[in-house]
Amino acid sequence: MTQLDDRPTSSDTFTSLNPATGEVVGTYPVHTAADVDAAVARARASASWWEGLGFEGRKEVLDQWRGVLARRVAALVDVVHRETGKPHGDAQLEAALAIDHLAWIASHAKKVLGPKKVFAGLLLANQAASVEYRPLGVVGVIGPWNYPVFTPMGSIAYALGAGNTVVFKPSELTPGVGHWLADSLREVVPGHDLLQVVTGNGSTGAALCRADVDKVAFTGSTATGKRVMAACAERLVPVVIEAGGKDAMLVDEDADIEAAADAAAWGAFSNAGQTCTGIERVYVHDKVHDAFLDALTRRAREVRSGHDPAANYGPMTMPSQLDVVRRHVDDAIAKGGRAVVGGPEAVGDRFVQPTVLVDVPEDSEAVCEETFGPTVVVNRVRSMDEAIERVNVGKYGLGSSVFSASRGEEIARRLRTGMTAINSVISFAAVPGLPFGGVGDSGFGRIHGPDGLREFCYAKAVTRTRFKAPLNLTTFERTPEQDAQVATLLAVLHGRATQLPKRPLRVRRHKNL
Ligand code: NDP
């Protein structure tokens, strides 16, 4: 969404605007490739200090940072509110979740990443084996505007917790939030460049991908994710890509309908639908379809977008998203769908009111593409098998939600998505110990949880000779007798278990697979 010159100079600036009013919130530099390189060099200079603090020292810093964030959350919330337009309560919620993750990181990094003994195996019984996870060095984080605290912190905090320093490029819509986060950490450790912010447009992000970073963590659209990956490929820099989704909710015949409708309304409309794991489509069992639709439409009519304190959600943060939402609604209706709440007239010039679409063909944009707006498609299915099939043919695979009294876990396991909430929505994102990420066009790699810490490390394997091996395998002095001993050992250790059965193998079906 670059609106500025593609060839910025250090003197270029841009403004961040309040999307609800158009007022200027702040003015920031468009950092050039040279500026980005300099920031990465400073981050590298601080990296060995940060790594050298060890888990305990880093825990102390991260805990102090957490305290600063918690004590000053009102100020942070206000910047988020002004740059995204979201209500203060929602801004506070995302900050609270980010702080909770930070606490988990500080107290779990050592356990997850520290040295661990590994059984060396019988062939190498004379070796002591261990594995530990070492920081990569400098991580570049490219963040979005929809949750400008929670989402980038899922990469920033986990990268820091793993012992890396970070250069963060926030969305050009939310540079003030990025600065606020970096300034608050600098207060805890002045003089150390643990977290720096580079601001600008897409070209600044592209420069970060080409700078001397050791990994890039990207959140945004699939199309930009591919460009990020291509740029990183030039230097074989690894990437983690969190690229949005088209998350579905499945409502089974025995579901708690009121609870499902409540969750669908929140999942679809909160944050103006600008949530990568928001509910964009619902597949409801034929037997409960009408009751569910009735419960959802009742709620949708009570929810309202606006800039006043009583509004349930705010404006579209990115103005160009209004065209996407309008196009998806128009396409759904042109293809035979109906709006039972909202519709084309719900899409204003800054705000979009809740829209519920029904009977929308599965090949329409509102079902296949990420809308990122407060609209939801409700389609009827004859069975949960049919619903699962419809979810799994989609190109995205980020999150999903299942409402079922008896089959929740079975259905969840069959959905090709990185995360599933049973009888709730989006709850997986708030559990710090769980990995967050998707498959297919939703990207790859994981933030959050132990996987999220390891994502910003390389695994370091070490073996140490404890005593002279009776059977030394790695020497030119190995004899034919010793090779024969290896063959005997092999037959004893592995040959018996794999004797071919007299009759063809019948693999037992396991209940939990
Ligand atoms: P983009 O993918 O364009 O931008 C995401 C981030 O990448 C921003 O910081 C952006 O900077 C930066 N960027 C842009 N171009 C490049 C580049 N060539 N190299 C490196 N970084 C780059 O998303 P948009 O903000 O334009 O939103 C478009 C769509 O993406 C939405 O409609 C929505 O569907 C999806 N989206 C998904 C999100 C999610 O949570 N998964 C979050 C946000 C958007 P800048 O902002 O300065 O252009």
Side-chain angles (χ1 to χ4, degrees):
M1 56 155 303
T2 301
Q3 288 143 6
L4 294 153
D5 189 340
D6 281 346
R7 292 163 291 106
T9 65
S10 288
S11 59
D12 281 345
T13 59
F14 70 104
T15 50
S16 76
L17 306 174
N18 183 327
T21 60
E23 87 183 92
V24 173
V25 180
T27 302
Y28 297 90
V30 178
H31 285 124
T32 61
D35 296 330
V36 173
D37 287 344
V40 171
R42 287 192 296 273
R44 194 162 296 288
S46 287
S48 53
W49 174 79
W50 182 233
E51 184 185 351
L53 283 188
F55 290 110
E56 300 303 338
R58 290 197 293 271
K59 177 177 181 339
E60 215 173 302
V61 171
L62 295 178
D63 281 340
Q64 284 183 19
W65 189 27
R66 172 164 61 98
V68 172
L69 294 175
R71 286 191 296 277
R72 294 226 215 103
V73 75
L76 173 59
V77 161
D78 201 51
V79 188
V80 175
H81 168 69
R82 286 192 291 142
E83 286 196 327
T84 65
K86 71 174 77 179
H88 283 90
D90 286 356
Q92 179 169 284
L93 190 59
E94 70 161 297
L97 294 180
I99 292 167
D100 204 40
H101 274 267
L102 199 49
W104 186 90
I105 293 162
S107 59
H108 287 78
K110 186 177 179 182
K111 192 170 168 220
V112 173
L113 305 174
K116 271 181 212 62
K117 285 185 185 164
V118 173
F119 175 55
L122 290 176
L123 280 177
L124 286 153
N126 70 322
Q127 298 290 322
S130 66
V131 63
E132 64 183 289
Y133 294 85
R134 311 286 312 156
L136 294 166
V138 181
V139 173
V141 174
I142 298 173
W145 40 265
N146 54 337
Y147 289 92
V149 177
F150 180 65
T151 301
M153 280 290 276
S155 297
I156 294 169
Y158 282 81
L160 288 170
N164 305 278
T165 54
V166 173
V167 177
F168 172 37
K169 153 70 179 77
S171 162
E172 67 190 83
L173 302 179
T174 54
V177 178
H179 267 291
W180 200 99
L181 290 172
D183 291 349
S184 63
L185 179 55
R186 196 171 283 278
E187 259 181 61
V188 178
V189 276
H192 295 287
D193 293 302
L194 300 190
L195 171 61
Q196 298 170 82
V197 168
V198 289
T199 51
N201 51 31
S203 67
T204 313
L208 184 55
C209 298
R210 292 195 165 86
D212 182 28
V213 290
D214 300 294
K215 182 143 192 168
V216 169
F218 168 83
T219 308
S221 63
T222 306
T224 307
K226 288 178 186 173
R227 282 198 284 278
V228 164
M229 225 177 136
C232 289
E234 290 170 16
R235 289 182 48 251
L236 211 62
V237 169
V239 289
V240 46
I241 304 277
E242 205 278 85
K246 187 75 200 174
D247 287 9
M249 175 184 284
L250 283 67
V251 182
D252 202 0
E253 57 184 310
D254 63 353
D256 178 338
I257 296 303
E258 291 297 325
D262 190 55
W266 169 262
F269 309 135
S270 63
N271 207 40
Q274 304 163 123
T275 303
C276 54
T277 52
I279 298 299
E280 299 212 350
R281 49 190 175 141
V282 187
Y283 294 112
V284 192
H285 195 287
D286 189 37
K287 287 185 184 161
V288 292
H289 175 272
D290 294 351
F292 174 83
L293 190 60
D294 181 56
L296 177 62
T297 52
R298 254 190 287 123
R299 283 170 173 80
R301 290 193 180 107
E302 285 164 10
V303 172
R304 180 176 60 79
S305 168
H307 192 46
D308 56 291
N312 301 98
Y313 63 85
M316 299 305 287
T317 301
M318 185 167 73
S320 60
Q321 199 65 29
L322 287 157
D323 292 335
V324 177
V325 178
R326 193 176 291 114
R327 199 179 70 231
H328 286 196
V329 173
D330 288 349
D331 180 62
I333 291 170
K335 287 197 167 112
R338 285 180 300 121
V340 291
V341 179
E345 66 282 3
V347 187
D349 59 355
R350 288 184 196 276
F351 298 90
V352 181
Q353 299 305 331
T355 291
V356 180
L357 300 160
V358 295
D359 303 331
V360 181
E362 289 289 309
D363 65 346
S364 69
E365 287 183 294
V367 174
C368 302
E369 302 295 333
E370 187 175 42
T371 307
F372 232 55
T375 66
V376 65
V377 169
V378 179
N379 277 350
R380 188 188 294 268
V381 287
R382 277 159 302 169
S383 66
M384 285 298 102
D385 287 349
E386 185 184 345
I388 292 165
E389 209 179 300
R390 291 193 189 188
V391 173
N392 289 350
V393 294
K395 60 184 178 178
Y396 293 105
L398 190 57
S400 51
S401 163
V402 178
F403 272 78
S404 170
S406 59
R407 296 178 60 201
E409 288 181 13
E410 179 216 323
I411 295 168
R413 199 165 288 124
R414 291 169 60 195
L415 289 168
R416 184 185 157 272
T417 62
M419 302 155 294
T420 302
I422 300 170
N423 297 331
S424 68
V425 273
I426 320 179
S427 33
F428 40 73
V431 179
L434 280 179
F436 184 101
V439 296
D441 272 13
S442 293
F444 53 85
R446 292 294 182 266
I447 55 173
H448 298 179
D451 299 78
L453 281 169
R454 290 192 196 107
E455 190 71 49
F456 298 105
C457 295
Y458 66 93
K460 174 78 182 185
V462 176
T463 50
R464 178 176 55 79
T465 304
R466 294 191 298 148
F467 53 85
K468 196 167 179 297
L471 191 57
N472 189 357
L473 304 174
T474 54
T475 171
F476 288 118
E477 289 168 16
R478 211 175 59 226
T479 61
E481 290 72 29
Q482 286 173 323
D483 281 345
Q485 283 173 359
V486 171
T488 309
L489 205 56
L490 215 53
V492 171
L493 290 178
H494 305 291
R496 284 187 191 147
T498 56
Q499 292 281 1
L500 287 181
K502 293 197 173 63
R503 277 175 297 177
L505 197 61
R506 284 183 59 195
V507 181
R508 268 181 299 148
R509 207 178 153 78
H510 290 269
K511 199 171 156 233
N512 288 332
L513 289 180

